[in-house]
Amino acid sequence: MPVEFLTDDQAEAYGKFAEEPTRPELERFFFFLDDIDRDLIALRRTKHHQLGFALQMCTVRYVGLFLEDPLVVPWPVVEHLAVQLGVEDPSCVKRYTERRQTLYDHAWEIRDAYGYHPYDYPEWGRKFRTFLHGRARRIRFHDLRHSTATLLLEQGVELVVIKELLGHAHIGVTATVYAHVRIRLQRDAIDLLGHALGCP
């Protein structure tokens, strides 16, 4: 999958655990095992296969792809899944990677069960682009100018500088067009002043 649109740091972190998942991510979202998950996991014979399968299942939800080494995860993730599965010794998961083919077989089974598709497959890439196209609004060049001016104002750039960048003949035009942004910034400034003075 191309990652040219990412910064170097983002590209380096892509497909990895950049940090330990938060408690809500562990308990409610990516690492919570529902009944469907548990039924699929229960088809594994050994505890280390059950825990490893669950680890791959939840990691692909969180990271967005299957890891080359499914054990390269923060240890609290393994422990959290082990508790849900009633696995008393989470370190048994280290045996999961003894047979590489098992990892690939499990990854394909998870893909099939949940309908995951790599977007570097031409057919699914096309479907994804179609999906995005149907939801993205068209943006005109003028919209980009307006967004740029708004962002610059919000960053504290002086109105006269924005006027010159946009090519407005008079600062009154710029002030009128972006009055809504200036009013919001003025309210924020008043709130900051109130906070600094200890007003509720």
Side-chain angles (χ1 to χ4, degrees):
M1 171 178 276
V3 291
E4 292 86 12
F5 59 92
L6 301 176
T7 66
D8 290 341
D9 290 340
Q10 290 170 327
E12 177 64 29
Y14 180 75
K16 300 176 188 168
F17 281 83
E19 57 191 23
E20 187 175 310
T22 64
R23 182 162 296 286
E25 290 171 333
L26 284 174
E27 294 177 353
R28 290 188 299 232
F29 304 118
F30 305 100
F31 300 95
F32 172 77
L33 301 174
D34 63 19
D35 292 339
I36 295 169
D37 297 336
R38 289 174 185 275
D39 289 345
L40 199 55
I41 293 165
L43 299 174
R44 311 309 118 201
R45 290 176 295 143
T46 65
K47 292 294 184 189
H48 67 273
H49 281 121
Q50 291 174 359
L51 188 51
F53 189 90
L55 193 57
Q56 284 212 79
M57 175 189 294
C58 295
T59 297
V60 74
R61 290 177 189 161
Y62 186 75
V63 177
L65 50 86
F66 292 97
L67 302 180
E68 187 67 32
D69 181 352
L71 302 183
V72 181
V73 300
W75 191 248
V77 169
V78 177
E79 291 174 330
H80 180 74
L81 292 172
V83 168
Q84 290 183 79
L85 295 172
V87 175
E88 292 179 17
D89 179 17
S91 68
C92 74
V93 77
K94 294 174 183 172
R95 294 188 51 214
Y96 182 63
T97 57
E98 289 174 353
R99 184 175 173 269
R100 295 295 297 170
Q101 189 59 44
T102 300
L103 308 179
Y104 299 121
D105 293 344
H106 286 179
W108 278 108
E109 191 173 343
I110 292 166
R111 282 183 183 136
D112 290 345
Y114 294 98
Y116 297 150
H117 300 280
Y119 285 102
D120 56 355
Y121 288 2
E123 175 192 354
W124 286 101
R126 202 170 23 264
K127 287 181 181 183
F128 186 60
R129 285 189 300 278
T130 302
F131 167 81
L132 290 178
H133 179 72
R135 281 152 186 79
R137 68 182 189 100
R138 295 201 183 278
I139 297 175
R140 300 167 298 154
F141 179 74
H142 181 78
D143 297 331
L144 293 175
R145 279 176 44 98
H146 188 70
S147 296
T148 300
T150 302
L151 289 170
L152 290 172
L153 270 172
E154 289 175 344
Q155 296 303 311
V157 175
E158 293 183 28
L159 198 58
V160 69
V161 174
I162 296 170
K163 168 206 153 298
E164 291 167 0
L165 288 171
L166 296 177
H168 290 161
H170 304 285
I171 197 161
V173 172
T174 313
T176 303
V177 171
Y178 298 101
H180 66 286
V181 178
R182 291 178 42 245
I183 291 168
R184 186 177 69 232
L185 293 174
Q186 289 168 355
R187 285 187 192 132
D188 291 347
I190 290 168
D191 289 344
L192 282 171
L193 179 61
H195 182 69
L197 296 174
C199 299

